[in-house]
Amino acid sequence: MSKRVILHVGLPKTGTTAFQESLELNRDQIPAQIISFSTKAEVGMAFCKRVRDIVRHGSNRWRLWQLDRAARGIRAWVDRQPHDVVLVTEENLLGWRVRDMYRMSFENGPRQAMEALVRALDGYELHWVLYRRDAKAHMRSAYRYFVKLRGVSDGCEEWSRRIGTPEVLDQLVEDTARAFGDAGHVFDMEAEKATAHAWGAPILRLAGMSEDKINALTPAPRTNIGLPGDLLDYVRDINAIGLNKAERLKAVDVVLRLHADLSGGTPREAYGRVK
């Protein structure tokens, strides 16, 4: 029997981490539903690096060969899974990373990644899943990520002028969705957040889980909510001091812990990683 392979490919900043954490939390319940799944860094890391090289440095025969080789690694992992439905969830699988996605095109990275995966997974029933959101809101979320973790001290407008435009992201999503064709499933993040069902429920339905099984899953704690708006000025000031990376991140972590203590009800873990 041919396996159904579901590739959940992001976008970054659309709740991919939350879905992965939910899968991990419910790992004991989900395999009983004939689903094998990966979570972040379990599979696809080598492939993501190869696509990233194409996005940033262009395509050539050597990079395409490396890409195909990494895709065959994903195929080997899928082949080893015992269940009929296999879910790979990796937001960078098509080469988009936050620093690139506002100035990249589908033709330089995502197209080559899709073609390599289609070749490698030939014979399987392949499905693509993509979550999207308003591009301007996406860019604002990305800016807060860069302030928190990447040391950005510029204002949002100045940073945006350097990083790209939301219109480029919209075009990238449209071109990718078109390339998916009938095998694609594109969901709006904000529309999904407004529903009462578990986060990632459309993916689990595609995998064949029933509504009662989905609703019985334990909700994952809310994490990685990003940098609160009232801390932006303080963290930008920390970033402007000129500390080395380790010291800067320790200082940001102190600010986040202080904010958690003073805000009441928001655990430090909800603000996500600082490393």
Side-chain angles (χ1 to χ4, degrees):
M1 179 178 180
S2 175
K3 291 179 179 178
R4 180 186 307 171
V5 179
I6 303 169
L7 301 178
H8 173 215
V9 296
L11 297 169
K13 316 304 296 179
T14 61
T16 305
T17 299
F19 179 58
Q20 292 166 342
E21 290 177 349
S22 176
L23 290 176
E24 192 61 52
L25 182 65
N26 292 281
R27 183 176 281 274
D28 291 341
Q29 288 84 359
I30 292 178
Q33 310 306 315
I34 67 165
I35 302 171
S36 297
F37 64 88
S38 76
T39 53
K40 193 166 187 176
E42 281 188 298
V43 65
M45 182 176 293
F47 186 84
C48 293
K49 291 179 179 178
R50 301 287 79 80
V51 187
R52 179 195 61 193
D53 289 343
I54 292 175
V55 170
R56 295 181 182 175
H57 307 296
S59 176
N60 58 35
R61 289 186 179 181
W62 170 242
R63 294 192 181 113
L64 291 174
W65 180 87
Q66 290 182 308
L67 188 66
D68 279 328
R69 182 182 181 186
R72 291 194 294 272
I74 295 176
R75 169 64 186 247
W77 181 86
V78 171
D79 289 344
R80 292 194 299 270
Q81 302 313 303
H83 297 126
D84 295 328
V85 179
V86 180
L87 167 62
V88 176
T89 170
E90 171 51 72
E91 64 184 20
N92 297 316
L93 203 61
L94 295 188
W96 36 51
R97 295 172 184 251
V98 175
R99 61 170 279 188
D100 300 316
M101 58 198 313
Y102 306 106
R103 55 191 174 198
M104 64 182 285
S105 72
F106 173 76
E107 291 298 319
N108 187 36
R111 178 178 64 81
Q112 291 85 352
M114 282 190 64
E115 291 172 351
L117 289 167
V118 168
R119 286 192 295 270
L121 296 168
D122 183 46
Y124 287 149
E125 178 188 330
L126 189 58
H127 294 265
W128 304 90
V129 175
L130 177 68
Y131 277 73
R132 67 179 304 171
R133 65 189 292 191
D134 175 79
K136 291 181 179 179
H138 189 285
M139 203 165 191
R140 289 192 296 270
S141 177
Y143 170 68
R144 294 187 180 195
Y145 164 85
F146 269 74
V147 171
K148 182 175 80 169
L149 294 182
R150 300 296 178 88
V152 167
S153 58
D154 298 328
C156 187
E157 289 188 10
E158 184 177 349
W159 173 83
S160 298
R161 284 194 294 270
R162 290 201 319 272
I163 207 77
T165 68
E167 290 77 17
V168 169
L169 178 59
D170 273 335
Q171 188 63 56
L172 175 64
V173 170
E174 292 300 326
D175 292 343
T176 303
R178 189 178 304 111
F180 287 163
D182 293 338
H185 310 266
V186 180
F187 303 103
D188 182 85
M189 186 190 84
E190 298 301 334
E192 288 300 315
K193 284 173 63 176
T195 67
H197 56 234
W199 187 248
I203 304 174
L204 298 176
R205 292 190 195 105
L206 182 61
M209 285 186 68
S210 63
E211 289 297 320
D212 60 326
K213 297 296 184 183
I214 294 173
N215 293 332
L217 297 176
T218 302
R222 190 182 180 206
T223 61
N224 205 30
I225 62 175
L227 187 66
D230 54 353
L231 291 184
L232 271 175
D233 286 343
Y234 297 104
V235 177
R236 281 198 300 252
D237 287 345
I238 290 172
N239 294 341
I241 292 173
L243 302 173
N244 65 46
K245 181 177 180 181
E247 292 172 338
R248 176 176 57 78
L249 292 177
K250 286 180 181 178
V252 172
D253 190 57
V254 169
V255 171
L256 289 174
R257 285 193 283 115
L258 181 63
H259 188 273
D261 290 344
L262 295 179
S263 62
T266 304
R268 164 62 188 87
E269 293 76 16
Y271 297 118
R273 65 185 177 91
V274 180
K275 61 182 181 179

